Amino acid sequence: MNAHLEKFLAVARSQVGYRSSRMPNGLPRTKYGAWYGLQHQYCAMFVSWCAAKSGNGAAFRKRALVQALIDDFRRKRRFGAKPRVGALVCFDWRPGRPGGNHVGIVVQVKKDHIVTIEGNTGKPNGVHQRIRKASITGYCYPPFTDRARPPPKKPLPGAPVPKPAASLTYTTKPGDTLSAISNRFKVPGGWKELARVNRISNPSLLQVGVKLVIPGGRAPPAPAKRAVQIWRTVAPGDNLLTLSKRFGVPVTTLLARNKGRPGQGEIKNPSLLVVGQRIRIK
């Protein structure tokens, strides 16, 4: 629990037992209304007063209406359904009329209920600690209720320290552009991210020989090795069977590689190879 939350709860607990008085019109008169400048139903003014008096006045805007509090927290995406110590719990006592009309401060979260401190409640009317489990609209989460992140774990003595991943770099060549380099290395964010990381003010003017850091890129695949072709000039005594045994290539493969297509030889008569003819072996 952080210091801001502790102060907020301490101020709220210090008010338990406070009693309001009644004005001639039947509305309550309280120090919370005097602080706010409005003598009226005061549950929202009470939680706002607790925030201000505990030094947390900037945590949320002071309000006299519960629904206004809910709207404020919803706009900041700080309104939810899970209870949390220090959260503002909102209630709706009017079935069929959506919205909030009462609010308190969560001081304990139990398995099947919550414990709250609320203003404008109980008999005699005042500030009381209550147990609640029903008619809850939701919870407003002031920033001081956020759970602190645990500190990073320290490595055990003698444990190896992981080395940072090596940065991928590339040295520019004639004809290179940032767009082509980012596409080649699949840089997330494209050429703009490449220019930002390398502080290149003019992306259109890329000098040759500059060593660039490739952010989040992947090394391009190595070019495929070109298969080496083996050709044979037919000598006296050569035939498909002797060539097949000599080079370890089936006769059917030799015929398939010599059908006269581009990059092939041409065997017109498998039974008669012409001396001096060039045929493709592999």
Side-chain angles (χ1 to χ4, degrees):
M1 187 181 296
N2 61 64
H4 292 285
L5 176 55
E6 288 180 349
K7 290 180 180 178
F8 180 61
L9 296 179
V11 170
R13 290 189 176 104
S14 71
Q15 298 303 297
V16 174
Y18 175 86
R19 296 183 181 183
S20 66
S21 60
R22 286 287 170 182
M23 297 189 298
N25 60 5
L27 291 173
R29 182 192 302 275
T30 65
K31 63 180 180 182
Y32 316 115
W35 166 81
Y36 189 90
L38 175 67
Q39 294 295 351
H40 208 276
Q41 308 298 342
Y42 60 93
C43 58
M45 291 186 276
F46 167 70
V47 299
S48 299
W49 182 92
C50 290
K53 295 301 179 180
S54 63
N56 292 300
F60 55 91
R61 186 175 177 182
K62 70 177 184 178
R63 289 294 193 179
L65 295 177
V66 177
Q67 190 58 49
L69 269 177
I70 294 174
D71 293 342
D72 289 344
F73 279 88
R74 274 185 172 150
R75 278 191 291 268
K76 296 177 181 179
R77 297 183 179 181
R78 285 186 165 274
F79 187 83
K82 291 185 178 181
R84 186 186 299 177
V85 172
L88 312 182
V89 54
C90 301
F91 302 91
D92 185 1
W93 306 136
R94 303 169 299 180
R97 298 177 61 185
N101 49 42
H102 187 64
V103 64
I105 299 169
V106 179
V107 294
Q108 292 182 49
V109 177
K110 300 295 184 180
K111 186 176 181 179
D112 61 346
H113 66 272
I114 58 174
V115 180
T116 65
I117 294 176
E118 304 166 21
N120 196 28
T121 187
K123 292 182 180 180
N125 182 274
V127 178
H128 297 275
Q129 183 168 294
R130 308 296 297 267
I131 293 176
R132 299 291 195 184
K133 61 173 66 175
S135 301
I136 296 174
T137 300
Y139 299 87
C140 302
Y141 307 121
F144 51 74
T145 65
D146 293 345
R147 293 176 177 84
R149 294 182 179 179
K153 295 182 179 179
K154 295 182 179 180
L156 296 173
V161 178
K163 296 180 179 180
S167 298
L168 189 64
T169 59
Y170 173 77
T171 302
T172 57
K173 298 178 177 59
D176 277 341
T177 64
L178 289 181
S179 179
I181 295 171
S182 64
N183 289 336
R184 180 182 178 189
F185 290 94
K186 302 188 185 312
V187 176
W191 67 267
K192 292 183 179 180
E193 179 65 9
L194 193 61
R196 185 191 69 79
V197 169
N198 292 277
R199 299 181 180 180
I200 298 174
S201 57
N202 188 353
S204 301
L205 184 61
L206 187 61
Q207 297 181 355
V208 175
V210 176
K211 191 173 184 179
L212 300 177
V213 175
I214 310 298
R218 301 195 297 265
K225 294 183 179 179
R226 187 175 180 180
V228 178
Q229 295 184 354
I230 298 177
W231 291 75
R232 167 77 175 178
T233 301
V234 176
D238 280 347
N239 59 56
L240 288 179
L241 185 59
T242 59
L243 294 176
S244 172
K245 291 181 179 180
R246 180 175 180 181
F247 292 100
V249 179
V251 172
T252 54
T253 302
L254 290 173
L255 290 173
R257 290 174 178 167
N258 292 276
K259 291 185 175 182
R261 295 171 183 168
Q264 295 185 347
E266 184 175 10
I267 298 176
K268 294 182 178 180
N269 186 350
S271 302
L272 180 63
L273 299 183
V274 180
V275 175
Q277 177 186 4
R278 295 185 75 244
I279 63 174
R280 182 181 169 186
I281 304 299
K282 292 184 180 179

